[in-house]
Amino acid sequence: MSTAHHGMTRRTLLTGATAVAATAVAGGGTAHASDSQVPSLWREFTRTPFTHPQIPYVGRAGAARIRRLPVVADVRAYGAVADGVTDCAPAINRAIAAAARAGGGTVTIPPGTFRIDGLIHLGYDDVVLRGAGSGRTTLYATKNLTELIGPYGSRYGGTKSAWSWAGGLIWLAPKARWDSLTDAIRAQAWPFEGWTGNKRDEWEELTPVAPARQGDRTVTVTDPARLRPGRLVLLRVADDPAHTLLQHMSGGGPGPASYYWEDKTKLLSYVPYEWPVRVVAVRGRRVTLERPLPVDLRPEWNPLLTTHVRELTGSGVEGLTLDVMETPQSPHLLDKGYNGVVLQCAYDCWVDDVTVRNVDNGFGLVAASACTLRRTRVGGRGEHHPYFCREGSHDNLIEDFTIEERTVPAPSDTQLHGINVEGLSSYNVWSRGDMRMGTFDSHRGLPFANVRTDITVDNNGRHGGDANAGPLFGARFTHWNVRVTNGRAGLMRLDGLAPCSATVGLNTVTDFDQTDVPDFTGDLHSRLELYGTWDAVRPRNLYAAQRQLRSC
């Protein structure tokens, strides 16, 4: 497939690549300009950006734009008082509902500390909750999700609390979907959490899709009658009895072909792969999508465009701190739900300049796509998942993020993960991070085609994931310009661990404390460049450089 098909030429790509590299060198860093190096992988990528075998194209990750909507409500007008005594959650939720009735807009919270004894739910399109800044507006939360909604068991059985990986005290999710989720939890009918409802049956076929290749943006459909520009659709791709879709997501070849997939029941529950995407244009049976295809489309995988539950779009949370009443961290997988901010069944939404403190779990993406988290921070007594990305979350951007060092020692029966990704989540980016604890966590479930770039990490966390969730990594994971301050290798160096993946610009690391083993046998076809360096690679930020290659 030629890059001209996507509105780019090779000349445009190479010109952009050179400009980005030159800018990065001029910008400086810990390495001297004379030490800067452009790896061969980058030069290869600019020639085949949508189909490179090791590096995914993530230049379109994140919300299309963070919008500035007019102010339509102030929480004080609905009864919120910054006195530390009044429960302001009902007033804030009333203000949000008023903004929705007005057709959208911004709800402001002035400087001060506002107590909330309940959760804040944003369930309406084009509604933004905005404080005066994370250093000026604080929501002080006193209760957990177990108290507010009820115990939440795992749909996979056992005694685990699903609040260990789901739900937030600030929860962005479309109202109907949120109502169905919380009703199911109260009824102890543990739900699936994604785009097709509690039982994965809330969808209708729109049209079959003809065979296509990963990286294509225009596809041929059987019946375009229900498609229109701007509509969000779900691309649904099933597996076949030989699990060739999962092999494809793992890069193909002898290793994935010989892997035993049949007993990976948790992993198999994640397929069909569901990828939300907007339609850009419809010309006869030819349909152009907002983003390049994440996988091949083959007849044996029955690719379809379908409906889904109604999405939340155009909404965000900005400029505040969620400070949770400090309690001891719960034992591993028994979290009560002192959780931060979660985006669920959300598309083109955002969180900006938000800090969470003393949480069980910080910022979550659950079946969320094309969302942006920027200038976010997790701090306080320590947490289970500072950031989690799961249940088929795709094309999200987490940038300028900080995980602070915990303020109290970790209890012996707890675990710390880090920036988590799992459950067939793909094409997500973590960029410009300062991780003073944690790790590059994969919770298994075959996440693939994700990027971590321009990050400093004190690598002292652990990865998670049940054995029946399958491999730690699929294909096209990339770690680019990563500094590991404690020199621990676990989950950092991918060349012996992740298939068809890339590690570029990583300082020297050694195996200790946790030694990871690959899931697939044989040659992993992974690449390692500029090992033993940090901040010498140019471009220094893979995501920023890929954005320079965008066709529009």
Side-chain angles (χ1 to χ4, degrees):
M1 181 198 64
S2 70
T3 56
H5 178 74
H6 296 280
M8 296 190 211
T9 65
R10 180 179 172 185
R11 180 184 300 275
T12 301
L13 289 168
L14 291 175
T15 300
T18 302
V20 170
T23 300
V25 170
T30 59
H32 296 293
S34 59
D35 299 327
S36 301
Q37 301 178 58
V38 178
S40 59
L41 270 164
W42 175 249
R43 301 183 193 279
E44 292 172 15
F45 177 82
T46 61
R47 293 193 289 269
T48 59
F50 304 105
T51 58
H52 192 276
Q54 282 92 16
I55 298 176
Y57 176 73
V58 293
R60 290 180 177 268
R65 60 193 178 100
I66 295 178
R67 300 163 60 194
R68 302 295 291 181
L69 300 177
V71 174
V72 295
D74 184 313
V75 298
R76 292 173 296 187
Y78 295 85
V81 182
D83 61 4
V85 176
T86 303
D87 174 16
C88 297
I92 295 171
N93 286 321
R94 286 194 295 268
I96 290 169
R101 290 193 298 271
T106 297
V107 175
T108 58
I109 311 176
T113 298
F114 296 81
R115 174 173 171 156
I116 58 170
D117 297 336
L119 65 84
I120 306 302
H121 175 220
L122 272 81
Y124 309 97
D125 293 348
D126 303 315
V127 174
V128 176
L129 183 65
R130 182 189 301 155
S134 59
R136 302 182 67 202
T137 296
T138 297
L139 303 182
Y140 179 68
T142 64
K143 294 186 178 180
N144 58 60
L145 294 169
T146 301
E147 296 174 274
L148 297 172
I149 297 174
Y152 188 2
S154 169
R155 67 175 183 256
Y156 300 105
T159 59
K160 301 172 184 176
S161 168
W163 296 129
S164 299
W165 57 78
L169 292 172
I170 300 177
W171 199 334
L172 288 78
K175 186 178 186 305
R177 185 73 184 103
W178 188 83
D179 287 344
S180 70
L181 282 165
T182 54
D183 287 348
I185 293 166
R186 290 186 176 101
Q188 298 191 1
W190 314 131
F192 283 91
E193 301 155 276
W195 287 101
T196 50
N198 293 346
K199 297 181 180 179
R200 297 195 78 180
D201 58 358
E202 296 179 34
W203 61 277
E204 298 176 10
E205 180 179 325
L206 294 172
T207 180
V209 185
R213 297 295 302 274
Q214 171 207 321
D216 288 348
R217 277 191 60 203
T218 299
V219 296
T220 301
V221 302
T222 302
D223 181 6
R226 298 176 66 185
L227 304 178
R228 57 173 174 75
R231 179 169 188 176
L232 186 71
V233 297
L234 203 65
L235 175 66
R236 182 180 171 92
V237 188
D239 204 4
D240 62 7
H243 301 300
T244 58
L245 174 62
L246 296 177
Q247 293 179 44
H248 172 61
M249 291 172 169
S250 303
S258 62
Y259 184 81
Y260 190 69
W261 301 96
E262 290 298 327
D263 63 348
K264 309 304 186 294
T265 53
K266 189 171 183 179
L267 170 61
L268 297 180
S269 76
Y270 295 138
V271 289
Y273 174 75
E274 296 170 342
W275 182 64
V277 64
R278 288 204 191 279
V279 174
V280 172
V282 180
R283 298 180 179 89
R285 294 171 51 216
R286 298 282 285 169
V287 177
T288 301
L289 304 174
E290 186 176 23
R291 289 176 169 82
L293 288 178
V295 294
D296 289 352
L297 304 184
R298 301 178 188 172
E300 58 267 32
W301 299 337
N302 190 30
L304 303 171
L305 295 181
T306 76
T307 65
H308 50 82
V309 299
R310 191 184 187 285
E311 72 275 11
L312 178 71
T313 188
S315 295
V317 179
E318 303 173 352
L320 58 84
T321 289
L322 177 67
D323 189 5
V324 177
M325 177 180 64
E326 186 168 351
T327 60
Q329 189 175 351
S330 296
H332 186 228
L333 297 175
L334 296 178
D335 296 343
K336 296 181 177 67
Y338 291 107
N339 295 347
V341 184
V342 164
L343 293 82
Q344 185 162 5
C345 295
Y347 192 94
D348 206 13
C349 293
W350 66 89
V351 179
D352 185 22
D353 182 27
V354 172
T355 295
V356 298
R357 297 184 57 78
N358 300 320
V359 292
D360 293 338
N361 301 281
F363 293 90
L365 296 158
V366 181
S369 292
C371 294
T372 292
L373 277 61
R374 74 177 187 185
R375 299 191 297 168
T376 56
R377 178 179 292 262
V378 184
R381 50 90 157 146
E383 58 282 330
H384 184 188
H385 298 96
Y387 291 82
F388 56 96
C389 177
R390 50 178 296 272
E391 200 75 15
S393 291
H394 316 292
D395 304 301
N396 297 294
L397 170 65
I398 301 93
E399 67 178 350
D400 298 311
F401 65 95
T402 301
I403 302 173
E404 296 179 0
E405 188 175 358
R406 65 191 313 135
T407 56
V408 297
S412 60
D413 53 358
T414 62
Q415 276 198 24
L416 165 67
H417 297 306
I419 52 174
N420 151 269
V421 62
E422 60 181 290
L424 296 184
S425 296
S426 61
Y427 295 86
N428 301 290
V429 178
W430 292 261
S431 170
R432 295 196 301 264
D434 179 9
M435 298 175 58
R436 301 167 197 173
M437 64 178 190
T439 192
F440 288 1
D441 173 39
S442 165
H443 256 49
R444 302 190 176 274
L446 198 67
F448 69 98
N450 296 286
V451 168
R452 285 108 166 209
T453 182
D454 200 3
I455 298 172
T456 297
V457 53
D458 187 4
N459 185 24
N460 59 4
R462 297 285 186 279
H463 78 71
D466 296 332
N468 64 356
L472 283 167
F473 301 102
R476 300 191 311 285
F477 253 82
T478 301
H479 291 173
W480 185 286
N481 194 21
V482 174
R483 178 183 179 227
V484 182
T485 58
N486 63 349
R488 177 171 169 255
L491 298 173
M492 299 290 133
R493 181 173 169 175
L494 296 174
D495 56 305
L497 189 59
C500 300
S501 293
T503 308
V504 181
L506 172 72
N507 61 294
T508 302
V509 293
T510 57
D511 282 313
F512 64 90
D513 194 30
Q514 172 183 289
T515 302
D516 302 308
V517 296
D519 293 287
F520 303 110
T521 58
D523 188 350
L524 296 180
H525 300 286
S526 285
R527 304 273 294 275
L528 179 69
E529 281 198 68
L530 300 184
Y531 179 60
T533 71
W534 181 73
D535 210 40
V537 60
R538 294 295 181 265
R540 66 184 298 173
N541 187 293
L542 181 61
Y543 167 72
Q546 287 195 20
R547 283 188 61 84
Q548 297 293 320
L549 305 183
R550 286 181 56 167
S551 60
C552 58

Coordinates of all heavy atoms in Angstrom, one line a residue, residues 3 6 21 37 44 152 177 180 222 237 262 268 294 302 308-309 333 355 370 419 421 430 498 522 535:
T3 N 1.9 5.2 0.6 CA 1.5 6.2 1.5 C 0.7 7.3 0.9 O 0.0 8.0 1.5 CB 2.8 6.9 2.2 OG1 3.6 7.3 1.1 CG2 3.5 5.9 3.0
H6 N -2.9 7.7 1.6 CA -3.4 8.4 2.9 C -3.1 9.9 2.8 O -3.1 10.6 3.8 CB -2.6 7.8 4.1 CG -3.0 6.4 4.3 ND1 -4.1 6.0 4.9 CD2 -2.4 5.3 4.0 CE1 -4.2 4.7 5.0 NE2 -3.1 4.2 4.4
A21 N 13.5 15.7 13.7 CA 14.8 15.3 14.3 C 15.6 16.6 14.6 O 16.3 16.7 15.6 CB 15.5 14.4 13.4
Q37 N 21.4 10.7 17.8 CA 21.4 9.7 16.7 C 20.0 9.5 16.2 O 19.1 9.3 17.0 CB 22.0 8.4 17.2 CG 23.5 8.6 17.7 CD 24.0 7.3 18.2 OE1 24.1 6.3 17.5 NE2 24.4 7.3 19.5
E44 N 13.2 3.7 8.6 CA 12.3 2.7 8.0 C 10.9 3.1 8.2 O 10.0 3.0 7.3 CB 12.6 1.4 8.7 CG 13.9 0.7 8.4 CD 14.1 -0.5 9.2 OE1 13.1 -1.0 9.8 OE2 15.2 -1.0 9.3
Y152 N -18.7 -5.2 44.2 CA -18.6 -5.4 42.8 C -17.7 -6.6 42.6 O -16.4 -6.5 42.7 CB -18.0 -4.2 42.1 CG -18.1 -4.2 40.6 CD1 -18.6 -5.3 39.8 CD2 -17.6 -3.1 39.9 CE1 -18.6 -5.3 38.5 CE2 -17.6 -3.1 38.5 CZ -18.1 -4.2 37.8 OH -18.1 -4.1 36.4
R177 N -25.6 3.9 29.7 CA -24.6 2.9 30.0 C -24.3 2.8 31.4 O -24.2 1.7 32.0 CB -23.4 3.1 29.1 CG -22.3 2.0 29.2 CD -22.8 0.8 28.5 NE -21.9 -0.4 28.6 CZ -22.2 -1.4 29.4 NH1 -23.3 -1.5 30.1 NH2 -21.3 -2.4 29.4
S180 N -27.1 1.2 33.4 CA -27.2 -0.2 33.2 C -26.1 -0.9 34.0 O -26.3 -2.0 34.6 CB -27.2 -0.6 31.8 OG -25.9 -0.4 31.2
T222 N -20.5 -3.7 2.0 CA -21.6 -4.3 1.2 C -22.8 -3.3 1.0 O -23.4 -3.2 0.0 CB -22.1 -5.6 1.9 OG1 -21.0 -6.5 2.0 CG2 -23.2 -6.3 1.1
V237 N -14.4 -7.5 14.7 CA -13.6 -8.5 14.0 C -13.5 -9.8 14.9 O -13.0 -9.7 16.1 CB -12.2 -8.0 13.8 CG1 -11.4 -9.0 12.9 CG2 -12.2 -6.6 13.1
E262 N -6.3 -22.3 23.5 CA -7.6 -22.8 23.9 C -7.9 -22.7 25.3 O -9.1 -22.5 25.7 CB -7.7 -24.3 23.5 CG -7.7 -24.6 22.0 CD -8.9 -23.9 21.3 OE1 -10.0 -23.9 22.0 OE2 -8.8 -23.5 20.2
L268 N -10.0 -15.2 25.6 CA -11.0 -15.4 24.5 C -12.3 -14.7 24.8 O -13.0 -14.4 23.8 CB -11.2 -16.9 24.5 CG -10.0 -17.8 24.1 CD1 -10.4 -19.3 24.0 CD2 -9.5 -17.4 22.7
P294 N -6.6 -0.9 12.4 CA -5.6 -1.4 13.3 C -5.1 -2.8 13.0 O -4.1 -3.2 13.5 CB -6.3 -1.4 14.7 CG -7.8 -1.6 14.3 CD -7.9 -0.9 13.0
N302 N -14.9 -12.4 9.7 CA -16.2 -11.9 9.6 C -16.2 -10.4 10.0 O -16.9 -10.0 10.9 CB -17.2 -12.7 10.4 CG -18.6 -12.2 10.2 OD1 -19.0 -11.8 9.1 ND2 -19.5 -12.3 11.2
H308 N -23.5 0.2 18.5 CA -23.0 0.0 19.8 C -23.8 0.8 20.8 O -24.7 1.6 20.4 CB -21.5 0.5 19.9 CG -21.3 1.8 19.4 ND1 -21.5 3.0 20.1 CD2 -20.9 2.3 18.1 CE1 -21.3 4.0 19.3 NE2 -20.9 3.6 18.1
V309 N -23.5 0.7 22.1 CA -24.2 1.6 23.0 C -23.8 3.0 22.7 O -22.8 3.3 22.2 CB -23.9 1.2 24.5 CG1 -24.3 -0.2 24.8 CG2 -22.4 1.4 24.8
L333 N -6.4 -6.8 45.2 CA -7.6 -7.2 44.5 C -8.8 -7.1 45.4 O -9.9 -7.7 45.1 CB -7.4 -8.6 43.9 CG -6.4 -8.6 42.8 CD1 -6.2 -10.1 42.3 CD2 -6.8 -7.7 41.6
T355 N -5.3 16.3 39.4 CA -4.5 15.5 40.4 C -5.4 14.6 41.2 O -6.5 15.1 41.6 CB -3.7 16.4 41.3 OG1 -2.7 17.1 40.5 CG2 -2.9 15.6 42.4
A370 N -9.9 7.2 21.7 CA -9.7 8.6 21.2 C -9.9 9.6 22.3 O -10.4 10.7 22.0 CB -10.6 8.8 20.0
I419 N 1.7 2.0 34.8 CA 0.9 2.4 33.6 C 0.4 1.1 33.0 O 1.2 0.5 32.2 CB 1.6 3.4 32.7 CG1 3.0 2.9 32.3 CG2 1.7 4.7 33.3 CD1 3.7 3.8 31.2
V421 N -1.9 -1.7 30.8 CA -2.6 -1.9 29.6 C -2.9 -3.4 29.4 O -2.1 -4.2 29.7 CB -1.8 -1.3 28.3 CG1 -0.5 -2.1 28.1 CG2 -2.7 -1.4 27.1
W430 N 1.6 6.5 25.9 CA 2.0 7.2 27.2 C 3.3 8.0 26.9 O 4.3 7.5 26.5 CB 2.3 6.1 28.3 CG 1.1 5.4 28.7 CD1 0.4 5.6 29.8 CD2 0.5 4.3 28.1 NE1 -0.7 4.7 29.9 CE2 -0.6 3.9 28.8 CE3 0.8 3.6 26.9 CZ2 -1.4 2.8 28.5 CZ3 0.0 2.5 26.5 CH2 -1.1 2.1 27.3
A498 N 8.7 -9.2 23.8 CA 7.5 -8.9 23.0 C 7.7 -9.2 21.5 O 8.8 -8.8 21.0 CB 7.1 -7.4 23.2
G522 N 10.9 -19.2 19.8 CA 11.5 -18.9 18.5 C 11.9 -17.4 18.4 O 11.9 -16.7 19.4
D535 N 18.1 9.7 25.9 CA 17.9 11.0 25.4 C 19.0 11.3 24.3 O 19.2 12.5 24.0 CB 18.1 12.1 26.5 CG 17.3 13.3 26.2 OD1 16.2 13.2 25.7 OD2 17.8 14.4 26.4

